[in-house]
C-alpha cells in the first residue's frame, strides 16, 4: 500500500513511525512532514490544506490511503473533496467528513450534538454580538470561574477561563463586539465550570464499529504545576491511573456509543478518530470537547502502545471491517516529554541547531517542529521534540525521558520537569 500522511508535527511523526513498521506498506509520503518523518518516508513540500496539490501528489505517487493528522484539512472538507472527485473517490481517507469534523470545528454544534444525544457535558448557552446583553446577564447567574469558548477554530487559544465576573464580562465583550478571535468568536459558548481531573479517550471508528484506544493525559500549561499560558501540550502519559476499567466503561456507554449512534442517526459520515476530552468529576465522565483527530502529544504515547499493525487497522476503517480486528495494546506505561523553544507559547526563535539526537537510548524521539538544512537538524517550531519512553512504572518511564531531555541540546531549550508527578501523587494517596 502507498500511504500519504498529512501534517508536520509530533503526531504525524508518530503516525509515520508506526506506519513505516507495517507489513502492508510499500511507500510512505508525508506532506509537508519534518526532519523526523523524513527518517520514515519521503517528505513532500506541500501544505496539508492545499487540496489541489494533494490531489496531484496522490495521482502521481499512486497513493492508496491518506491519513489526515491535523484538524484544518478535515474541517475544510478534505474527505468530501476526495469523495466528490472521479479520480480520488476510491482512495481511503482516515478522517471524518466535513460534517463530522464539525464536532471540533464548531463548539456550538458539538454542544448541541451532545444535548441532542444525551451525552453528559457542562450546562451552557451560546451568544452572538446581537445577544451580548443576554450573555452578560447569563454570566451573572453562574459561579466563578467562568468558561468562555470561541465557537470556531482558534488554534487552541479560543477558551478563556476568567476568575472574576468583571473579567468574564470584559472578555465576552471583546470576543463578541470586538472580534477578539476574528470570525471564530462570532459566536461564543458560555458554560459551567467543571471541577475534576482531565483526560482524553480516543475512539477509532469505521462508522459502524469502533475500538476504544488507550486513554491519555496531556499537560497543557507551559509552567510546572500546570500554571501559565496554554500550549499545544507539554507532555502526556498513557494509561491514566485514575481512568480504571469502571470509568472507561462509563465513557464507552455514556459517551462513545451515544456519539457514534448520534452520528449515524444524523447521517454524518465518520471514518477516523474521535478525541473525547473529558473531565472526571468524582468518577463521572463529562465531555469538555470533541476533536476530529488524534491529540498531539497524546498520539506520541497512544500509538507506541498499540501493537496491532496500524495499516491493518486503517484498512479495516476504510472497509468498515473494524469488528474483524483485534486491538492489541502494550500494558506498559508510556510517557512523553515535549522539548520546546524558549519563549513558547509566545514569541520564540527558530533555526537553532539540535544536537545529540544520535545519542538517545531507551526512548523514541518524535520530531514536532524540526527541519533539515545542510544536513543539520534545526528547530522549526514552538514544540520541537517529544521524547517517548516506556516503563513498568510511571517513574521508570519518566526518568528515561528526563535523562534524554538533558542530552538533546539546542539554544533556549525548555521543558517541564513535573510531567506525571500529579498522577504519581494520586496513586500514592490511593495506596
Ligand atoms: P477546550 O479547547 O474545549 O479543550 O478547552 C481548553 C481547556 O479549557 C480544557 O482542556 C480544560 O482544561 C478547560 N475547560 C474547558 N471547558 C471547561 C469546563 N467546562 N470546565 C472546566 N474547564 C474547562
Ligand atoms: N493535546 C491537545 C490536542 O491535541 O488538542
Amino acid at each position: 500500500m502507498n500511504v500519504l500522511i498529512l501534517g508536520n508535527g509530533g503526531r504525524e511523526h508518530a503516525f509515520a513511525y508506526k506506519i513505516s513498521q507495517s507489513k502492508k506498506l510499500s511507500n510512505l509520503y508525508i506532506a509537508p512532514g519534518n526532519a523526523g518523518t523524513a527518517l520514515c518516508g519521503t517528505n513532500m513540500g506541500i501544505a496539508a490544506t492545499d487540496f489541489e496539490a494533494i490531489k496531484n501528489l496522490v495521482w502521481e505517487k499512486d497513493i492508496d490511503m491518506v491519513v489526515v493528522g491535523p484538524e484544518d484539512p478535515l474541517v475544510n472538507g478534505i474527505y468530501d473533496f476526495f469523495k466528490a472527485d472521479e479520480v480520488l473517490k476510491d482512495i481511503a481517507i482516515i478522517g471524518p467528513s466535513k460534517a463530522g469534523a464539525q464536532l471540533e470545528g464548531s463548539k456550538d454544534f458539538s454542544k448541541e450534538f451532545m444535548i441532542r444525544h444525551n451525552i453528559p457535558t457542562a450546562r451552557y448557552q451560546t451568544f452572538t454580538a446581537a445577544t451580548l446583553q443576554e450573555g452578560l446577564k447569563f454570566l451573572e447567574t453562574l459561579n466563578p470561574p467562568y468558561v468562555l469558548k470561541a465557537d470556531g477554530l482558534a488554534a487552541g487559544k479560543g477558551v478563556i477561563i476568567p476568575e472574576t465576573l468583571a473579567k468574564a464580562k470584559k472578555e465576552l465583550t471583546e470576543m463578541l463586539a470586538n472580534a477578539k478571535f476574528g470570525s471564530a468568536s462570532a459566536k461564543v459558548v458560555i458554560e459551567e465550570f467543571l471541577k475534576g481531573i482531565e483526560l482524553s479517550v480516543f475512539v477509532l471508528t469505521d462508522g459502524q464499529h469502533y475500538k476504544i484506544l488507550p486513554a491519555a493525559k496531556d499537560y497543557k500549561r507551559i509552567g510546572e504545576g500546570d500554571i501559565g499560558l496554554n500550549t499545544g501540550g507539554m507532555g502526556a502519559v498513557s494509561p491514566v491511573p485514575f481512568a480504571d476499567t469502571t470509568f472507561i466503561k462509563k465513557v464507552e456507554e455514556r459517551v462513545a456509543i451515544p456519539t457514534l449512534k448520534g452520528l449515524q442517526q444524523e447521517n454524518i459520515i465518520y471514518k477516523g478518530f474521535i478525541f473525547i476530552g473529558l473531565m472526571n468529576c468524582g468518577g463521572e465522565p463529562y465531555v469538555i470537547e470533541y476533536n476530529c483527530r488524534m491529540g498531539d502529544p497524546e498520539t506520541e504515547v497512544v500509538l507506541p502502545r498499540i501493537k496491532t499493525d496500524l495499516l491493518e487497522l486503517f484498512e479495516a476503517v476504510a472497509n468498515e471491517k473494524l469488528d474483524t480486528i483485534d486491538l492489541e495494546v502494550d500494558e506498559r506505561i508510556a510517557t512523553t516529554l515535549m522539548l520546546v523553544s524558549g519563549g513558547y507559547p509566545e514569541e520564540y526563535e527558530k533555526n537553532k541547531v539540535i544536537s545529540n539526537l544520535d545519542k538517545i537510548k531507551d526512548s523514541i524521539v518524535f520530531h514536532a517542529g524540526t527541519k533539515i538544512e545542510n544536513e543539520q537538524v534545526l528547530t522549526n517550531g514552538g514544540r520541537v521534540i517529544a521524547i517517548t519512553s516506556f516503563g513498568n512504572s510511571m517513574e521508570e518511564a519518566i526518568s528515561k525521558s528526563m535523562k534524554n531531555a538533558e542530552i538533546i541540546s539546542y539554544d533556549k531549550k525548555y521543558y517541564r520537569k513535573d510531567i506525571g508527578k500529579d498522577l504519581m501523587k494520586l496513586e500514592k494517596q490511593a495506596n
Side-chain angles (χ1 to χ4, degrees):
M1 215 190 294
N2 292 332
V3 178
L4 170 65
I5 300 172
L6 299 181
N8 65 351
R11 167 182 49 213
E12 287 74 23
H13 187 186
F15 275 125
Y17 169 84
K18 258 331 227 204
I19 289 174
S20 68
Q21 294 168 356
S22 168
K23 59 178 188 306
K24 289 185 168 266
L25 182 71
S26 307
N27 295 299
L28 178 61
Y29 301 92
I30 309 94
N34 61 35
T37 61
L39 304 169
C40 311
T42 310
N43 286 350
M44 308 301 294
I46 289 172
T49 44
D50 188 346
F51 294 178
E52 284 301 330
I54 292 166
K55 174 178 171 171
N56 290 335
L57 179 65
V58 165
W59 181 242
E60 199 180 297
K61 301 292 184 192
D62 200 14
I63 301 291
D64 303 294
M65 176 182 284
V66 180
V67 180
V68 188
E71 62 277 19
D72 292 42
L74 293 166
V75 173
N76 292 341
I78 192 160
Y79 181 94
D80 308 65
F81 175 83
F82 268 65
K83 297 302 157 189
D85 188 295
E86 265 314 301
V87 177
L88 303 177
K89 67 179 186 346
D90 294 325
I91 292 163
I93 307 274
I94 305 304
S97 64
K98 185 171 185 168
Q102 283 301 94
L103 282 184
E104 174 165 4
S106 166
K107 299 270 188 210
D108 183 44
F109 173 86
S110 78
K111 292 295 284 192
E112 285 191 356
F113 180 91
M114 288 184 247
I115 302 299
R116 277 199 295 281
H117 300 289
N118 239 330
I119 294 163
T121 189
R123 238 174 12 110
Y124 83 106
Q125 278 191 38
T126 303
F127 300 93
T128 62
T131 56
L132 172 60
Q133 292 310 319
E134 281 98 314
L136 295 171
K137 285 210 188 83
F138 181 63
L139 283 172
E140 288 172 7
T141 70
L142 300 173
N143 296 318
Y146 305 86
V147 181
L148 273 52
K149 301 184 171 184
D151 176 57
L153 289 185
K157 299 197 174 74
V159 177
I160 295 175
I161 307 190
E163 292 290 336
T164 65
L165 182 61
K167 275 193 195 148
K169 286 184 167 182
K170 186 163 168 274
E171 285 291 352
L172 183 67
T173 308
E174 277 178 21
M175 286 165 94
L176 287 176
N178 307 337
K180 177 166 180 171
F181 298 104
S183 59
S185 63
K187 279 191 204 169
V188 173
V189 168
I190 301 179
E191 67 179 42
E192 195 179 37
F193 183 82
L194 296 170
K195 217 169 156 13
I197 322 179
E198 230 177 307
L199 77 155
S200 305
V201 171
F202 304 92
V203 178
L204 180 64
T205 180
D206 61 12
Q208 303 297 324
H209 319 96
Y210 66 93
K211 298 282 179 206
I212 306 273
L213 306 180
K217 183 178 191 299
D218 173 21
Y219 290 78
K220 288 205 165 106
R221 306 292 193 95
I222 189 70
E224 285 167 25
D226 240 9
I227 53 165
L229 292 174
N230 250 326
T231 70
M234 297 294 291
V237 300
S238 174
V240 184
F242 63 80
D244 55 14
T245 34
T246 313
F247 182 79
I248 297 293
K249 195 89 201 137
K250 286 183 189 171
V251 175
E252 182 170 6
E253 283 167 0
R254 298 181 197 172
V255 182
I257 295 173
T259 300
L260 295 167
K261 282 208 175 126
L263 290 168
Q264 284 170 2
Q265 275 168 17
E266 297 187 22
N267 293 318
I268 295 174
I269 299 173
Y270 208 114
K271 293 181 175 203
F273 293 98
I274 308 176
F275 167 145
I276 307 171
L278 291 162
M279 196 69 90
N280 177 336
C281 302
E284 305 304 317
Y286 287 83
V287 178
I288 292 179
E289 63 165 349
Y290 290 111
N291 292 314
C292 60
R293 52 171 173 87
M294 279 300 287
D296 192 352
E298 293 91 331
T299 307
E300 289 95 301
V301 288
V302 171
L303 285 194
R305 293 189 60 220
I306 294 179
K307 292 187 185 168
T308 314
D309 186 312
L310 200 57
L311 284 187
E312 246 173 58
L313 265 176
F314 286 170
E315 209 174 30
V317 167
N319 299 332
E320 296 180 17
K321 293 215 159 60
L322 208 44
D323 56 327
T324 65
I325 303 260
D326 277 331
L327 182 73
E328 242 196 294
V329 174
D330 193 323
E331 291 300 319
R332 289 176 301 165
I333 292 163
T335 62
T336 199
L337 198 60
M338 192 62 85
L339 309 186
V340 305
S341 299
Y344 173 80
E346 296 184 284
E347 243 173 72
Y348 57 85
E349 291 167 27
K350 294 184 186 177
N351 299 313
K352 309 284 186 192
V353 176
I354 307 173
S355 42
N356 296 339
L357 288 169
D358 54 340
K359 298 203 171 63
I360 301 308
K361 291 192 199 91
D362 296 336
S363 294
I364 315 169
V365 172
F366 291 123
H367 292 230
T370 67
K371 64 176 176 187
I372 308 175
E373 243 173 55
N374 301 324
E375 294 179 15
Q376 280 186 312
V377 179
L378 305 180
T379 67
N380 190 37
R383 295 192 294 169
V384 178
I385 298 270
I387 307 174
T388 296
S389 313
F390 277 108
N392 291 314
S393 68
M394 208 179 294
E395 280 94 337
E396 186 192 343
I398 287 168
S399 71
K400 286 181 193 167
S401 287
M402 291 288 277
K403 194 180 84 200
N404 285 323
E406 279 171 38
I407 294 172
I408 294 174
S409 117
Y410 57 86
D411 186 31
K412 301 199 173 73
K413 174 182 78 178
Y414 169 77
Y415 57 98
R416 273 178 62 170
K417 298 185 180 69
D418 66 338
I419 303 301
K421 281 201 178 147
D422 56 335
L423 297 178
M424 289 191 264
K425 210 162 130 192
L426 275 179
E427 269 192 311
K428 275 203 189 104
Q429 282 166 359
N431 291 328

